[in-house]
Amino acid sequence: SLNHVTSGCSPTPYRDDLFGPDFATSVFISEPVHNVVHREVLSPLGSGLQSHRAPEEQQSEFLASTDPWFRPTTLRTGPDGALYITDMYRFILEHPEWISAEMQARVNLRAGEDRGRIFRVSPKGSVRRPIPDLSGLDTTGLVAAMDSPNGWQRDRAMDRLVSRRDPTAMAPLRALLQPSHRPQVRVQALATLGLLGALDFATLKGALNDPHPGVRRQALDQSERLAPDSREAFDAVAALATDPDPAVRLQAAFTLGQWPPTQAEPVLRELASRDGSDEVIRVA
């Protein structure tokens, strides 16, 4: 009923497909003062993003409790695809600094300090993904584990691959850059190769021409490793200054800044003259 937040925290993109395609661009936000978990749906706006309530949540919240002690704080997408919610569970949430001395004398400010809950939320009738044990996987297995819709699983596999620094990971990671794999998998495989120092121009050139704008943005960011010496890389980056996606053009402008002004300025001036009057782009 208030339709605004006063204690929004732990903004968490949903990084799985268990909830279905309608949640592919959803971000969950804890609101412990109002005892709710709010959901925003993102959509592009020029080179940035805008958000709005989901159509089915115009007069409601994704999760709301009638228990005034329900204090959702941390949110995470779990390895099984469920949304995990840490409930601090306290009577008083405010800091004592903002509570009058009279009120402090009347209430137990620490009521609930011996309590707390973790909720696991998943769609009715769905089967949660088995939680993988990545600890015993070899390098080939870790790369295969990255090919997953689950962000937690991709992150853990990526961490282990970067720590292991096994050169045999490079070829299968490059194979994950093929468009047949999910865009988020391609982005993370590209970032892993970058952290391993295994990105050459041939690999980046393919990623700079990827059909998904998110992959092209990551490829632009990674191509800064080749600046300022590679003329081939500069030409490939400069070509994306005319990309149809505004966010890619914005990243191209940032990346061009890694090359000498004598090379970058003509492209940047042309980009600014073309996009500077675009109100949609300027919003971001």
Side-chain angles (χ1 to χ4, degrees), residues 46-100:
S47 58
L49 297 167
Q50 62 183 345
S51 69
H52 54 81
R53 284 181 175 270
E56 65 273 24
E57 295 169 11
Q58 294 298 309
Q59 301 297 323
S60 63
E61 298 292 348
F62 173 78
L63 187 153
S65 177
T66 57
D67 184 349
W69 286 39
F70 175 63
R71 307 295 190 182
T73 51
T74 304
L75 308 174
R76 290 291 185 272
T77 305
D80 55 359
L83 179 69
Y84 285 76
I85 303 168
T86 301
D87 177 11
M88 187 177 176
Y89 207 76
R90 291 292 184 96
F91 172 50
I92 299 292
L93 187 68
E94 291 79 8
H95 191 282
E97 181 179 351
W98 313 112
I99 301 174
S100 68

Side-chain angles (χ1 to χ4, degrees), residues 262-276:
T262 52
Q263 285 182 274
E265 278 189 14
V267 184
L268 289 170
R269 289 181 186 277
E270 182 180 348
L271 193 157
S273 66
R274 183 177 58 252
D275 285 346

Side-chain angles (χ1 to χ4, degrees), residues 28 50 234:
F28 297 105
Q50 62 183 345
F234 173 80

Side-chain angles (χ1 to χ4, degrees), residues 118-214:
I118 298 177
F119 289 92
R120 181 174 60 192
V121 180
S122 58
K124 288 182 178 180
S126 66
V127 178
R128 295 191 303 273
R129 186 178 296 103
I131 297 177
D133 180 6
L134 306 182
S135 60
L137 295 181
D138 60 11
T139 297
T140 301
L142 287 173
V143 175
M146 282 192 65
D147 190 14
S148 168
N150 182 263
W152 179 94
Q153 181 169 317
R154 295 196 306 272
D155 291 349
R156 299 292 81 72
M158 181 178 179
D159 288 344
R160 285 166 170 75
L161 287 167
V162 172
S163 298
R164 190 171 294 182
R165 307 193 74 82
D166 184 349
T168 65
M170 311 315 173
L173 280 171
R174 291 190 181 99
L176 290 182
L177 299 179
Q178 296 301 314
S180 56
H181 298 282
R182 297 175 180 85
Q184 56 267 48
V185 172
R186 305 201 299 271
V187 166
Q188 217 149 343
L190 196 60
T192 305
L193 286 166
L195 288 170
L196 291 171
L199 280 175
D200 54 20
F201 175 68
T203 303
L204 280 169
K205 184 177 180 181
L208 288 168
N209 290 287
D210 191 277
H212 195 281

